[in-house]
């Protein structure tokens, strides 16, 4: 990449906005997933019998199973949310930056 084009892109306010938005959104999504995952780990560490408690009397399904499913599904949902935002807002900004750099 040409040095002039690089400087032009890096000084573009839209590039700065894109970097800020992607970074903050990524950290937020990571924090949510970490809270979910480490919450589960903390339950395992401090209240392990809770996860082995049956959902209903006589049931073979324990509370741990839906919690585990929730963790897996939340990872997919957060990934989907990030992808949707990246494909709409982030890609639009990126395209604008590329077009302005070509001028």
């Amino acid at each position: 990449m040409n040095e002039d084009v690089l400087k032009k892109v890096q000084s573009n306010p839209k590039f700065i906005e894109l970097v800020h938005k992607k970074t903050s959104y990524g950290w937020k999504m990571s924090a949510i997933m970490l809270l979910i995952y480490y919450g589960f780990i903390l339950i395992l560490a401090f209240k392990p019998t809770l996860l082995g408690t049956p959902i209903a009397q006589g049931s073979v399904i324990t509370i741990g199973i839906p919690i585990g499913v929730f963790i897996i599904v939340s990872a997919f949902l957060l990934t989907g949310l990030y992808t949707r935002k990246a494909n709409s807002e982030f890609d639009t900004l990126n395209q604008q930056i590329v077009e302005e750099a070509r001028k």
Side-chain angles (χ1 to χ4, degrees), residues 2-70:
N2 186 329
E3 264 313 300
D4 294 333
V5 174
L6 179 62
K7 287 180 183 177
K8 194 175 186 181
V9 168
Q10 288 177 336
S11 64
N12 188 330
K14 289 180 183 176
F15 177 74
I16 296 165
E17 177 186 358
L18 176 64
V19 169
H20 174 72
K21 283 184 175 184
K22 282 180 75 172
T23 303
S24 65
Y25 194 68
W27 278 111
K28 287 175 191 173
M29 296 301 247
S30 296
I32 292 168
M33 193 65 232
L34 286 171
L35 283 171
I36 292 169
Y37 181 73
Y38 283 111
F40 177 71
I41 297 300
L42 288 171
I43 290 171
L44 279 174
F46 297 108
K47 197 83 164 152
T49 57
L50 175 69
L51 296 175
T53 307
I55 290 180
Q57 192 167 5
S59 175
V60 294
I61 299 175
T62 64
I63 292 175
I65 292 173
I67 290 175
V69 170
F70 168 75

